[in-house]
Amino acid sequence: VNAERQKGWASELLTAEQLDVQYPAGWASIPTFCHVQPTGKRRRIDNGRAPLHNAATAYTETTTMCTPFHPALMIRLLCAVMAAMGVHPESIETTEFETGTDDIPDAYRSMLVRLEHLMYNIVMVKEPGTSEHPGHVWYAIMYAMLFGLSSSVVQFGRWSRFLEALMRRLMWTLWLLFVDDSCIVDLKAGRGTAQQWGGQVLRHLGVQLAAHKSQPMGSLMEFLGVVHDLSVKVV
């Protein structure tokens, strides 16, 4: 939490008494814990399940996301469109494609919470202690969406679907978004311009991509755990 406070995502650590003064009408907090991923990376998880936060949240829409196999589907659809436009079959069969990926870092933290909802966007942190001397519980008001809440998935999904539609309808780019993971498909003749221009558009919208996670356009790429090999010509 201290690291997030330094980035401007959280308030200073507060006591329950201080929150009572700030939110006299009431407030709710969510326990948080540290999860160590198989890679060794530590990720703070906000437990929306334990206090029944997720169970008490209802949605008016259904979230849909792409699968790891959607890049192949996009290529097949593009070839079908080319055929419908009268492109010679031999030209379609020898068409070469390439694909790449990009990642939006700290995705949920880029989505701010409305001021009137902050009273429900509070996490609790417990100091290390012993059975004889339990650690003190502190609270922090989080200014952005929490990782671990089902509502964060749905709300960020709206943003990712908007970005996906923007890239497709205005930029005419075959761009996929699975939450914060992007996959781009383009003709090899494009020489990576789809990924370059798409990245520029996202940056103008305030969306910064993680350079160290980017996979440049090429014939071999991994997306959502599935490796795509486009070195074989489409038939």
Side-chain angles (χ1 to χ4, degrees):
V1 174
N2 285 330
E4 294 185 285
R5 181 174 58 83
Q6 294 175 1
K7 294 180 179 180
W9 299 338
S11 71
E12 60 182 351
L13 294 178
L14 305 168
T15 64
E17 292 74 20
Q18 288 175 307
L19 286 173
D20 288 337
V21 173
Q22 187 164 346
Y23 300 114
W27 51 276
S29 59
I30 298 172
T32 185
F33 62 91
C34 180
H35 170 67
V36 181
Q37 297 177 328
T39 58
K41 179 181 178 180
R42 296 179 179 272
R43 181 185 291 272
R44 188 176 66 77
I45 305 295
D46 307 300
N47 194 345
R49 182 178 180 182
L52 302 180
H53 184 286
N54 290 342
T57 305
Y59 309 102
T60 59
E61 71 231 62
T62 300
T63 300
T64 58
M65 298 183 184
C66 64
T67 72
F69 306 103
H70 267 65
L73 177 61
M74 288 198 302
I75 291 176
R76 292 189 63 178
L77 291 174
L78 180 57
C79 289
V81 171
M82 292 170 64
M85 294 175 62
V87 178
H88 196 280
E90 291 185 1
S91 299
I92 299 175
E93 293 173 2
T94 57
T95 298
E96 293 184 317
F97 295 91
E98 61 181 7
T99 180
T101 65
D102 273 304
D103 178 84
I104 302 175
D106 302 315
Y108 290 171
R109 297 299 188 261
S110 66
M111 305 296 290
L112 298 179
V113 175
R114 296 179 59 162
L115 291 176
E116 56 266 35
H117 295 166
L118 289 181
M119 64 182 66
Y120 308 115
N121 212 56
I122 300 171
V123 299
M124 60 175 70
V125 184
K126 188 175 183 180
E127 290 180 344
T130 63
S131 56
E132 296 180 357
H133 301 285
H136 184 75
V137 176
W138 293 91
Y139 302 86
I141 303 170
M142 304 299 294
Y143 303 132
M145 296 195 307
L146 301 180
F147 188 87
L149 301 189
S150 58
S151 56
S152 297
V153 178
V154 174
Q155 294 184 72
F156 190 85
R158 298 170 180 168
W159 177 234
S160 62
R161 290 304 295 272
F162 167 77
L163 295 177
E164 186 180 75
L166 173 71
M167 304 303 286
R168 292 180 180 181
R169 300 181 185 184
L170 296 185
M171 296 296 296
W172 287 41
T173 302
L174 295 178
W175 196 287
L176 282 172
L177 267 167
F178 182 88
V179 189
D180 56 350
D181 294 317
S182 294
C183 177
I184 308 99
V185 174
D186 194 19
L187 297 174
K188 189 174 182 179
R191 300 181 181 276
T193 53
Q195 187 176 30
Q196 296 171 14
W197 293 344
Q200 291 181 21
V201 171
L202 293 179
R203 282 190 288 273
H204 282 301
L205 291 174
V207 179
Q208 298 295 327
L209 300 175
H212 66 287
K213 291 186 178 181
S214 177
Q215 295 184 85
M217 302 292 284
S219 59
L220 191 66
M221 180 273 303
E222 179 180 345
F223 178 57
L224 302 179
V226 174
V227 176
H228 296 262
D229 186 354
L230 304 183
S231 59
V232 179
K233 297 184 186 300
V234 176
V235 178

